[in-house]
Amino acid sequence: MIPLYQDAAEIERMIQVSDDDSLASDDRALSRAAVEARVLGILQEVQSQGDAALGKIITRLSDPVLPESKRDKTCPWRLSKEALQEAAQNIEPETRDILEYAAANIRQFAEAAMASVQPVHLSHEGFEVGLNWTAIERVACYVPAGRFPLPSTALMTAMTAKVAGVCDICIVSPKLTDEVVAAGVIAGASSFYQLGGAHAVATMAYGTESIRPVSMVVGPGNAYVTEAKRQLQGVIGIDMLAGPSEVVIIADKDANPEWVAWDLLAQAEHSPDACAYLLSDSLPLAESVRLELAKALSQEALPEYLRASDSWGKIFVLQNLQQCVAICNQLAPEHVELLVATPEALKDHMKDYGALFMGYHTPVPFGDYAAGPNHTLPTNRSARFSGTLTPLTFLRPQSWIHATSAAQKLVRASEAFALTEGLIAHARSSALRLK
């Protein structure tokens, strides 16, 4: 049974540990160093050997490969056009309907976000300045396929890129299920590669003899995918460094304990290192939720690791909802549910989070799949400085200046500023434009 605390001391300790590397265990540090070293070796191998390295790594890791009949003739890891069409047609009509419903909502939300992005154009004495937003040309969307295939990630990433104006969108996944392929087709992806792990990210970044490199890789993945993105940031653009999934639920005395329990479990079933926390001002509610969790874990076919350990969850009973909000802001979680009577009263006080779910009837799975906002979100307290995937992720702000001979004040200011900094060529370059 997951532990219950009646003060904030344990949360403060968790935040301190996450912020202070010196408090990390030796085993954790060794594990992190091992992942870094292993990923670096894979990146170097792919960069230097290309397709040959891919073949060796895939064999070494026993990764699933595309059947011969489904391979593109020029690239053994790319789905052929015929196999692509077949996969998209193989899904059940009901599944297609669900994908298209979700895609429509995701597209509408992304288009609304794009509508808020406007070019800048200002006129001054003798010159004009501006800012344009230009989409990245080629992007890879990584779709995990560990415990569960995630066609939702194909929709969330590829559809958002498409709305932003990205012309060439690749889906990259360790296992191209029919559902993932269909979702990618609906979202507008143009090519599909069955590749996973750090070598998939390296391939997209460096390219090989048979695969053109991309300019950006987006989407969640395991520790090796995330580490590859971290090491390659700068060679390519990335969306974020996503870690294990997490949710904080703030619930009052009138929240439904069964709903709260299942909302916690819905997040915890992502992986053994996912985190699900309940913050409440009601001890009876907290105790009822613990009972509902025990009941669910004894009856339902959930992942075994949920029963094997209680490290995925914690329940905190605090003084009031205001303290719950303050603690939640310190945690800066990926998802926050406000299962309270008046969520609007708390919303303006919520500062650091990835996505907010307001009201008793709004669980995180609504955002995971079909409501419209993106489920690619910051984790590991990075919500303090990062946000959700949007079309802006795929846009580059590019400024421009157009001066005429009438811009004499700008000429003199630029020359004087350059001399202040001691940059003689800068000053001369500007001064030559004086009448």
Side-chain angles (χ1 to χ4, degrees), residues 212-427:
R212 287 195 302 118
V214 302
S215 298
M216 173 177 270
V217 173
V218 301
N222 62 19
Y224 293 95
V225 170
T226 301
E227 177 60 21
K229 289 170 70 176
R230 188 188 70 80
Q231 292 190 27
L232 287 168
Q233 188 173 12
V235 177
I236 51 169
I238 66 169
D239 50 349
M240 62 189 74
L241 298 173
S245 197
E246 55 201 29
V247 67
V248 170
I249 298 176
I250 297 177
D252 63 15
K253 63 182 179 62
D254 294 322
N256 184 312
E258 183 183 13
W259 295 5
V260 175
W262 279 104
D263 289 1
L264 291 168
L265 290 169
Q267 209 60 35
E269 74 174 340
H270 273 292
S271 68
D273 47 6
C275 299
Y277 299 153
L278 169 63
L279 310 181
S280 181
D281 60 349
S282 169
L283 181 58
L285 182 277
E287 291 174 335
S288 297
V289 170
R290 291 183 88 202
L291 292 175
E292 291 293 341
L293 285 170
K295 188 190 305 182
L297 288 169
S298 67
Q299 297 175 359
E300 298 293 331
L302 290 165
E304 178 57 34
Y305 54 77
L306 294 177
R307 284 181 285 275
S309 171
D310 59 13
S311 62
W312 55 268
K314 288 181 173 63
I315 296 175
F316 299 90
V317 177
L318 304 175
Q319 294 177 2
N320 49 51
L321 292 179
Q322 289 70 33
Q323 188 183 21
C324 293
V325 168
I327 291 294
C328 185
N329 283 331
Q330 287 184 268
L331 291 169
E334 179 185 17
H335 307 94
V336 178
E337 287 188 14
L338 297 180
L339 303 188
V340 298
T342 55
E344 296 82 3
L346 301 184
K347 181 184 177 185
D348 290 344
H349 300 283
M350 302 298 307
K351 302 300 181 186
D352 296 325
Y353 59 87
L356 192 61
F357 300 81
M358 299 172 58
Y360 298 131
H361 295 272
T362 318
V364 168
F366 287 2
D368 284 342
Y369 299 119
N374 213 284
H375 77 196
T376 309
L377 299 163
T379 61
N380 290 334
R381 301 190 68 225
S382 62
R384 293 170 297 156
F385 52 82
S386 182
T388 181
L389 188 80
T390 72
L392 276 70
T393 305
F394 303 98
L395 298 180
R396 297 162 291 172
Q398 297 174 318
S399 63
W400 58 267
I401 303 171
H402 181 199
T404 69
S405 59
Q408 295 301 292
K409 188 173 182 180
L410 177 62
V411 171
R412 293 188 181 90
S414 300
E415 179 191 16
F417 216 134
L419 291 173
T420 299
E421 294 186 341
L423 297 173
I424 304 305
H426 281 65

